[in-house]
Amino acid sequence: MTSTLIWIAVGLFAIGLYLSWTAGRLDRLHARIDAARAALDAQLLRRASVAQELATSGVLDPAASIVLYEAAHAARQAEEEQREVAESELSQALRAVFGEAQQVEAVREAPGGEDAANELAQAVRRVPMARRFHNDAVRAARALRRHRKVRWFRLAGHAPFPLAFEMDDEPPAALADRPTT
C-alpha cells in the first residue's frame, strides 16, 4: 500500500513537473513574441520616419513627396486595428516612388541624399526580417497552444491568442538590390 502511494506521488510529481515546464516554455514564447513585436514596431516606425523625412526634404518631386508623406504619416498615426493596412500602403507608396533606379540615383545625387537613401534602404530591408521573426514566434506559440495538455490544464492562463502581423513588406527593387555602405 505504501509503495503504491509513493509511485502515485512520484507520477503526479512528474506530471506536475512536465506541466510546469510546458507552462514556462509557453511563457517564454509569449515573452519572445512581445520582444519581437517591439522590434517590429521599432523597424516600422523607423521606416515611416525615414520616408517622411525624405518626403519633406525637397529631394523628391512634389507629387512623389505628397504620396510618400501621406502614406508615412498614415502609417505612423494608424490605430492598431488599421496598422497592417497602413503599413502595406506605405510599402506600396515606397515601391511607386522608388520603383525605378533613376529615382534612387536622383535622391543620391542631392546634397545629403546618399545618407538618406542608404538609411531608407536599410529600413526597408529590416522590416521583412523583423516581421518574419515576429511571425515565427507567433507560429511557435500557436503550435504549443493547440496541444490538448495546454488547453485542458489552461497553461496559457489569460494571455491573448497570439496574432501574426500580415502586411505587404516587399521593398522597392531599386532600394532592395543596392548594397549600403
Side-chain angles (χ1 to χ4, degrees):
M1 178 73 173
T2 307
S3 66
T4 304
L5 289 177
I6 291 174
W7 282 112
I8 290 172
V10 167
L12 288 175
F13 178 76
I15 290 170
L17 189 63
Y18 177 71
L19 291 175
S20 174
W21 176 81
T22 303
R25 181 172 168 227
L26 190 57
D27 187 51
R28 288 188 301 275
L29 281 172
H30 283 146
R32 190 171 129 204
I33 289 170
D34 291 343
R37 180 59 189 242
L40 175 61
D41 287 341
Q43 292 304 324
L44 291 171
L45 180 63
R46 181 171 182 250
R47 181 181 76 154
S49 297
V50 171
Q52 206 168 19
E53 184 179 312
L54 194 58
T56 59
S57 68
V59 174
L60 301 172
D61 64 89
S65 292
I66 290 171
V67 167
L68 194 58
Y69 180 83
E70 286 179 356
H73 181 72
R76 290 183 71 178
Q77 301 299 320
E79 296 292 325
E80 192 60 35
E81 301 82 36
Q82 298 299 317
R83 183 102 188 263
E84 293 172 348
V85 172
E87 294 294 346
S88 294
E89 289 172 356
L90 176 56
S91 295
Q92 293 166 0
L94 285 167
R95 282 196 306 273
V97 172
F98 296 106
E100 297 179 11
Q102 295 88 347
Q103 183 69 23
V104 177
E105 291 306 319
V107 169
R108 289 185 184 282
E109 291 169 2
E114 185 73 29
D115 291 337
N118 286 340
E119 192 172 352
L120 184 61
Q122 288 175 357
V124 299
R125 277 196 297 262
R126 288 180 179 161
V127 166
M129 287 188 296
R131 189 175 73 87
R132 206 168 306 122
F133 288 140
H134 175 266
N135 288 350
D136 286 346
V138 166
R139 199 172 302 111
R142 282 180 165 186
L144 185 57
R145 286 182 70 154
R146 284 190 191 105
H147 289 156
R148 267 188 228 122
K149 65 181 176 270
V150 173
R151 290 191 320 257
W152 287 352
F153 293 102
R154 300 177 189 259
L155 299 181
H158 297 288
F161 196 73
L163 299 174
F165 194 86
E166 298 300 333
M167 64 172 271
D168 174 8
D169 60 5
E170 184 70 29
L175 286 175
D177 297 337
R178 296 189 58 93
T180 57
T181 56

